[in-house]
Amino acid sequence: MAGTVTQPRRRSPAPRNLTEPLPVRVGLTLIALAFLVLFLLVPLAAVFSEALARGWQAYLDAVREPMALAALRLTLLTAGIAVPLNLVFGLAAAWCIAKFDFPGKSALTTLIDLPFAVSPVIAGMIFILLFGRNSPLGPWLAAHDLKIVFAVPGLVLATVFVTFPFVARELIPVMEAAGTEEEEAARVLGAGGWQTFFRVTLPSVKWGVLYGVILCNARAMGEFGAVSVVSGHIRGKTNTLPLHVEILYNEYQFQAAFAVASLLAFLALVTLAAKGLVEWRSSRAGAAADAAGPGEKAA
Amino acid sequence: MAFRFKQHSVLPGFRLTFGFTLFYLTLVVLLPLSTLFFRSSSLGPAGFWAAVSSPRVVASYQLTFGTSLAGALVNAVFGLVVAWVLVRYRFPGHRLVDALVDLPFALPTAVAGIALTTLYAENGWLGRPLSAAGIKVAFTPLGITVALTFIGLPFVVRTLQPVLESLDPEVEEAAASLGATRLQTFARVILPALLPAWITGFALAFARALGEYGSVVFIAGNMPMKTEITPLIVITKLEQYDYAGAAAISAVTLVASFLILLAINRLQAWSTRLTAD
């Protein structure tokens, strides 16, 4: 599923009789690279090339334009609310699912994955059904002058919904793998609940937490379908960066659209780099623990 | 909470975390999703059927289903090659290429959408040579397939990679020492072991494609009956304030994706049984 921490095991090259002939290996490698270049690298290059099509000055003008800056602020705000909320939820969910046994555990895990199965368009629509003008809550909200859809709260809700599973689903397997012995030892030695959590559990799963937060943040900042439905596209008010890209593009301001899009593409590249770094660090930490493991048992 | 609802444990915090998890799940996910079914049930059976079976909607199902299937199939074939190459062969830039596979997860769909549209438009880098050869991509079902291939690419690769890595080399050694050719070993030994993960990756890519909106809407052209995907019809209905109609079509889509995910879960149970034997 979307971005599970997979740590590639180092694999020594297979002996000659156990691998394909050289032409086959080269051929397969070339096919794989051609496919990835065509479908990943060329579109990425197109974003930056179109963004700079009219030079650096036009690029900077498009990026520094007030509406683009307003969109950037709104994107940071929605991600700044959605990511911490889902982080707290992810920690709580992982603690109760990974550390305890109770009936209905697998059903709960499935329900947590539910938003991954929902189309972004539907994710946005349900908040219009819930809070929109024709909804049961609509008249009450209007009477109290509360705007949720076509306003910032709706954007935040839709973003929270689509990024809901990210931290939890990264953390649950990591916490399950860590087991409960260390926490039990901490308790027996007199540590309090929160103390156990902050001093024992959190340090051992910190890479999993970081990994989940990185993925959650990337989706929160880049979400398009769900926020497009609830936004109402009011410039400077309810336009996040991806929505701003859409508006510029539909107004045939291609260079400006790609300039703003290049910011998001850059964010994607930073996300990939951070993800790679976390995978590398956590696999090193895992290898160090493996190396220390047998010695501890012997002692 | 029932006495002894959970197994006894010295660890604290079960009530707090379980309670918060349920509360947050209900508030953020279950309650909003349930409105979908309440609202679409307000149509009554006849109205529901009329909303979800009008010719324009059925044409969109066919298009969405067909292009999603095509995209997932392309990914199944090339995803296997990519996963194989990344796990088994080493070449310069190997780690970089491996990291790049996740780009479709990280790149906002709207950015992918406008990039692909510009590339495959008639005056684009790839659209110009293709249209000279008589192939139109942008604003046709082929363009939708291209976008859905982009979106689904990491699923097959990332589900296959860990399985390929965990294959026991001794099994292949045994096959080779018993006289199997490399192709026979692949077809008779490796492929059967990969099959559950391969189908799972395919199904994940397919399920994701069914609901995809951002990357498709720019390249599709959005002509009713021809290049209009189901999520776009939902948005059109919402803009016309036909909330019940939008909810009904969404309910159909949602049930379809649930069935696929259920199938994936069964598959994974089957594959764990296979590896346990």
Side-chain angles (χ1 to χ4, degrees):
Chain A
M1 195 71 204
T4 323
V5 194
T6 50
Q7 289 150 11
R9 266 204 291 169
R10 295 244 180 278
R11 192 185 177 97
S12 51
R16 190 162 294 225
N17 62 339
L18 278 173
T19 185
E20 294 72 45
L22 185 68
V24 176
R25 276 183 290 166
V26 172
L28 286 177
T29 310
L30 288 180
I31 291 174
L33 289 180
F35 179 70
L36 293 178
V37 166
L38 183 66
F39 274 94
L40 300 182
L41 225 47
V42 173
L44 194 61
V47 172
F48 290 104
S49 147
E50 294 287 330
L52 294 170
R54 283 201 255 139
W56 279 100
Q57 196 52 49
Y59 178 83
L60 289 176
D61 287 348
V63 171
R64 283 189 304 208
E65 183 242 349
M67 289 303 152
L69 289 178
L72 176 64
R73 271 195 297 275
L74 187 58
T75 293
L76 293 175
L77 176 74
T78 45
I81 299 172
V83 174
L85 277 178
N86 285 333
L87 170 63
V88 171
F89 162 73
L91 286 169
W95 181 266
C96 92
I97 288 173
K99 304 291 179 191
F100 301 97
D101 268 324
F102 55 91
K105 191 155 127 170
S106 72
L108 184 61
T109 317
T110 309
L111 283 178
I112 288 175
D113 275 349
L114 202 60
F116 276 149
V118 178
S119 165
V121 169
I122 300 178
M125 185 187 73
I126 52 180
F127 292 103
I128 293 193
L129 296 184
L130 201 59
F131 299 114
R133 237 180 13 183
N134 299 334
S135 73
L137 286 172
W140 185 86
L141 289 169
H144 290 76
D145 207 21
L146 291 169
K147 270 188 82 74
I148 293 186
V149 291
F150 310 131
V152 175
L155 294 174
V156 174
L157 280 173
T159 308
V160 169
F161 181 94
V162 293
T163 58
F164 178 86
F166 279 95
V167 181
R169 71 162 303 132
E170 288 308 327
L171 265 184
I172 293 168
V174 178
M175 273 206 194
E176 269 172 351
T180 56
E181 283 110 6
E182 290 181 2
E183 283 87 356
E184 281 160 11
R187 290 289 286 166
V188 171
L189 292 171
W194 291 108
Q195 218 178 354
T196 310
F197 177 75
F198 282 111
R199 297 272 194 90
V200 178
T201 309
L202 211 49
S204 76
V205 298
K206 61 175 186 278
W207 296 115
V209 175
L210 196 58
Y211 195 89
V213 166
I214 290 169
L215 295 181
C216 186
N217 181 61
R219 181 71 194 266
M221 289 193 173
E223 177 52 30
F224 174 70
V227 293
S228 167
V229 173
V230 292
S231 136
H233 299 94
I234 309 164
R235 279 189 179 214
K237 289 227 170 79
T238 62
N239 250 359
T240 61
L241 276 182
L243 296 176
H244 191 58
V245 170
E246 183 198 20
I247 289 197
L248 290 172
Y249 188 85
N250 287 341
E251 287 175 345
Y252 302 103
Q253 301 191 45
F254 294 131
Q255 185 269 330
F258 277 103
V260 178
S262 75
L263 296 180
L264 290 165
F266 183 69
L267 169 78
L269 291 178
V270 171
T271 302
L272 291 185
K275 195 169 155 292
L277 201 66
V278 167
E279 273 165 17
W280 179 67
R281 286 301 299 265
S282 67
S283 73
R284 266 203 346 175
D290 283 350
E296 273 179 343
K297 275 192 195 112
Chain B
M1 206 175 299
F3 185 62
R4 254 211 280 199
F5 168 64
K6 62 161 178 83
Q7 307 255 304
H8 178 75
S9 166
V10 297
L11 296 182
F14 178 75
R15 275 162 189 261
L16 177 71
T17 54
F18 183 77
F20 178 71
T21 302
L22 267 192
F23 169 74
Y24 190 75
L25 177 73
T26 310
L27 198 69
V28 173
V29 177
L30 301 183
L31 203 68
L33 266 185
S34 65
T35 58
L36 191 66
F37 293 95
F38 284 127
R39 189 52 79 94
S40 48
S41 66
S42 71
L43 284 169
F48 184 88
W49 181 249
V52 301
S53 67
S54 78
R56 187 170 160 188
V57 177
V58 171
S60 85
Y61 295 149
Q62 284 166 346
L63 177 74
T64 309
F65 195 86
T67 49
S68 299
L69 197 65
L73 283 173
V74 171
N75 278 323
V77 174
F78 286 96
L80 177 62
V81 177
V82 171
W84 181 270
V85 167
L86 285 177
V87 172
R88 299 254 163 152
Y89 307 151
R90 287 293 169 270
F91 51 89
H94 173 270
R95 288 190 65 95
L96 204 65
V97 172
D98 189 50
L100 194 69
V101 168
D102 282 328
L103 183 72
F105 285 154
L107 192 70
T109 53
V111 177
I114 64 169
L116 290 172
T117 311
T118 306
L119 277 177
Y120 288 97
E122 263 173 40
N123 56 358
W125 292 353
L126 298 170
R128 199 189 306 255
L130 282 169
S131 69
I135 305 168
K136 258 181 72 90
V137 180
F139 317 125
T140 69
L142 189 59
I144 303 177
T145 307
V146 167
L148 295 177
T149 306
F150 173 87
I151 282 302
L153 196 149
F155 288 101
V156 178
V157 180
R158 292 298 187 229
T159 26
L160 277 176
Q161 261 178 324
V163 182
L164 265 172
E165 273 157 11
S166 66
L167 284 185
D168 192 349
E170 281 171 20
V171 182
E172 288 169 52
E173 281 163 22
S177 68
L178 291 170
T181 65
R182 193 59 195 155
L183 201 61
Q184 279 175 323
T185 309
F186 178 76
R188 302 262 186 95
V189 177
I190 302 175
L191 208 54
L194 291 181
L195 200 59
W198 202 19
I199 301 175
T200 304
F202 165 80
L204 286 172
F206 180 63
R208 168 73 203 262
L210 286 181
E212 178 55 24
Y213 172 72
S215 60
V216 176
V217 72
F218 295 98
I219 205 170
N222 307 326
M223 278 193 305
M225 306 297 294
K226 288 211 180 96
T227 55
E228 190 179 40
I229 53 167
T230 309
L232 186 72
I233 289 205
V234 171
I235 289 200
T236 312
K237 296 242 176 220
L238 281 177
E239 280 167 358
Q240 296 162 348
Y241 297 104
D242 180 7
Y243 289 176
I249 298 169
S250 301
V252 169
T253 323
L254 203 59
V255 169
S257 2
F258 282 160
L259 290 179
I260 294 172
L261 281 189
L262 205 67
I264 295 173
N265 279 347
R266 298 297 278 284
L267 252 172
Q268 274 169 343
W270 173 55
S271 78
T272 25
R273 264 209 313 281
L274 270 188
T275 43
D277 284 346

